[in-house]
Amino acid sequence: MRKVVTALLAASALVTLAGCGGNSDNSGDAGEKVTLKFQSLAFQKTTVAATKKIVADWNATNPNIQVEYVQGSWDSVHDQLVTQFQGGTAPDIIHDESADITGFINQGYLADLSPYLSQATKDAVPQGVWDTVSNDGKVYAAPTLLQSYVVFANTAALKQAGVTAATELTWDDLAANAKKLTTGGKYGIGWGLKSPTATVLNLGMNFDAKFFDGTGRDAKAAIGDAELEVPKRIHEMAYTDKSIDPTSLTQSGADVLPGFYAGKYAMVVGGNYAAQQILAEAPKGFQWEVLPPLKGTSAKQAANPQTLSVPAESKNVKQAAQFIDYFMKADNLAAVGQGDWLIPTTQAARDAILKTTGGKDGWQQTLASGAELTKAPFQSVENYPKWKDQIATPALQEYLANKTDLAALGKKLNDGWGQVNG
């Protein structure tokens, strides 16, 4: 979920699919030993360790269904899966994210897991999150971890500026606080928006932004005031209020953190997982906190969960789903969630993290920010990755660099969809 990889899914559909739950070819022989390849995209040391422990614990108690851990990468997973699906070499258990698997679902490459996942797993995840991995009543993946966008703040800087803690944080509050905190050559906010599209579309839901009407290849671009509200507000803070360092808008989320530690920025906005990096890198004595979720007309954000899915052509769908069920157990999800500083999709796993951490180091607000995550329209759009990479990202970069105006941005986002989806 850290990034939506951008290559376009090649349009090579399978003629015969094994996605139907009743297909005995997918069930495997109960007495036959099988080995399942699990391609994990975990990259934080803590998460890799937690994931490997889940695999080891499973293998110790399931001698006939052994799981082989294979290390993958978020940077190349989409292209890799395109090649693997076409060549029939995809891993038995696929780690990805919901925004990226939409095309694979529509092309028929993923198995319907509905008949195989346990009722306990189905009941543990909110329906709004299941919707991100479902199509026509079928479930094509298990959603595991979620990311939200949050505001990290320098506690001492807030106190010095007289900014008091509140139970909610509106966009107007953010702008007002950023102005208060901009003084003496220091900025209220550093915001790493080198790759701005995911942030803009996710936070756009704060203002009921849709960006698309319809699904699949039939979707139409829907770019209006609501869709332009978040970039407009960011632009105003950077160039009218001058409370966002404009240089930071060209940097990655990780790039702005040293300035946060050094007091150059009183606040930074980014994925909640940045808390792990802050905890590891911030100088001793540096006090920081996570503010309440940003709110416009609502505090909704897009739920783009990490996912576990199975190839439709797999002969071991049932066994793979059994491992996925095991992965979804509260203690396991809590372990990978805490390791990755991401939000588990189940309340039981969130409760486990809250109990373990006591809500410290931003966990209380981070877990709370997951309550309003739900499916966004762009997650049902097949060519979204291509539009994101070729159209939205350069258009937003140009606007946030103050090289074009809001009307031009809207036109590029709208017209660009016709270019990539024609």
Side-chain angles (χ1 to χ4, degrees), residues 277-291:
Q277 189 175 348
I278 295 172
L279 193 65
E281 295 179 352
K284 187 176 181 180
F286 180 76
Q287 293 183 315
W288 59 279
E289 58 192 271
V290 177
L291 301 183

Side-chain angles (χ1 to χ4, degrees), residues 190-195 247-258 269:
W191 200 331
L193 284 174
K194 182 179 181 179
S195 300
T247 301
S248 72
L249 299 176
T250 67
Q251 298 176 314
S252 71
D255 288 340
V256 301
L257 290 179
V269 186

Side-chain angles (χ1 to χ4, degrees), residues 133-145:
V133 294
S134 302
N135 189 31
D136 291 334
K138 297 179 180 179
V139 174
Y140 291 94
T144 58
L145 301 175

Side-chain angles (χ1 to χ4, degrees), residues 150-154 260 266-272 274-275 278 288-290:
V150 298
V151 181
F152 299 94
N154 180 321
F260 181 51
M267 299 182 288
V268 293
V269 186
N272 62 269
I278 295 172
W288 59 279
E289 58 192 271
V290 177

Side-chain angles (χ1 to χ4, degrees), residues 39-379:
Q39 180 169 285
S40 170
L41 306 181
F43 66 94
Q44 303 275 11
K45 289 182 180 179
T46 47
T47 318
V48 170
T51 305
K52 286 184 174 180
K53 183 179 186 304
I54 293 171
V55 171
D57 290 348
W58 167 270
N59 286 339
T61 55
N62 293 274
N64 287 336
I65 307 175
Q66 293 290 283
V67 175
E68 177 187 343
Y69 182 99
V70 178
Q71 186 63 58
S73 169
W74 285 108
D75 292 331
S76 58
V77 64
H78 187 98
D79 290 344
Q80 184 181 28
L81 286 172
V82 169
T83 302
Q84 290 172 330
F85 282 134
Q86 291 179 334
T89 59
D92 300 279
I93 302 158
I94 298 166
H95 184 190
D96 202 351
E97 63 181 355
S98 67
D100 192 48
I101 66 172
T102 297
F104 296 131
I105 292 171
N106 292 339
Q107 294 289 336
Y109 284 114
L110 297 181
D112 174 18
L113 300 182
S114 305
Y116 302 111
L117 294 175
S118 69
Q119 193 60 45
T121 295
K122 294 175 181 178
D123 291 343
V125 178
Q127 187 57 49
V129 180
W130 279 121
D131 289 343
T132 68
V133 294
S134 302
N135 189 31
D136 291 334
K138 297 179 180 179
V139 174
Y140 291 94
T144 58
L145 301 175
L146 295 158
Q147 172 191 313
S148 64
Y149 290 89
V150 298
V151 181
F152 299 94
N154 180 321
T155 302
L158 295 188
K159 289 180 179 178
Q160 185 176 356
V163 177
T164 57
T167 56
E168 72 172 24
L169 180 68
T170 68
W171 277 85
D172 289 342
D173 293 334
L174 179 68
N177 291 343
K179 287 180 72 172
K180 282 185 182 179
L181 292 159
T182 300
T183 181
K186 299 178 181 179
Y187 289 92
I189 299 177
W191 200 331
L193 284 174
K194 182 179 181 179
S195 300
T197 307
T199 301
V200 169
L201 267 65
N202 277 268
L203 289 176
M205 293 191 71
N206 283 180
F207 298 96
D208 303 314
K210 296 174 65 177
F211 288 95
F212 296 97
D213 284 323
T215 61
R217 287 180 174 267
D218 296 328
K220 307 294 184 184
I223 312 298
D225 291 344
E227 288 70 34
L228 298 174
E229 186 68 22
V230 166
K232 181 182 77 171
R233 285 175 177 262
I234 295 171
H235 189 278
E236 286 177 350
M237 283 189 279
Y239 299 105
T240 302
D241 297 349
K242 302 187 185 303
S243 59
I244 293 179
D245 179 5
T247 301
S248 72
L249 299 176
T250 67
Q251 298 176 314
S252 71
D255 288 340
V256 301
L257 290 179
F260 181 51
Y261 311 146
K264 182 178 180 180
Y265 314 124
M267 299 182 288
V268 293
V269 186
N272 62 269
Y273 59 83
Q276 183 184 51
Q277 189 175 348
I278 295 172
L279 193 65
E281 295 179 352
K284 187 176 181 180
F286 180 76
Q287 293 183 315
W288 59 279
E289 58 192 271
V290 177
L291 301 183
L294 274 169
K295 183 178 181 181
T297 54
S298 76
K300 288 181 181 178
Q301 293 188 37
N304 181 25
Q306 292 186 21
T307 57
L308 297 178
S309 52
V310 182
E313 67 176 5
S314 173
K315 295 181 179 180
N316 302 300
V317 177
K318 179 180 179 180
Q319 292 94 328
Q322 287 175 333
F323 173 76
I324 291 173
D325 261 336
Y326 179 74
F327 194 99
M328 293 292 291
K329 289 182 177 296
D331 288 348
N332 290 334
L333 270 192
V336 292
Q338 190 172 345
D340 236 359
W341 288 76
L342 292 174
I343 306 164
T345 53
T346 71
Q347 188 60 52
R350 293 180 196 179
D351 290 344
I353 291 179
L354 191 61
K355 182 177 180 180
T356 300
T357 64
K360 296 179 180 178
D361 299 323
W363 270 114
Q364 183 170 352
Q365 294 289 6
T366 292
L367 294 171
S369 71
E372 298 261 14
L373 299 180
T374 189
K375 185 176 182 178
F378 72 85
Q379 290 169 284

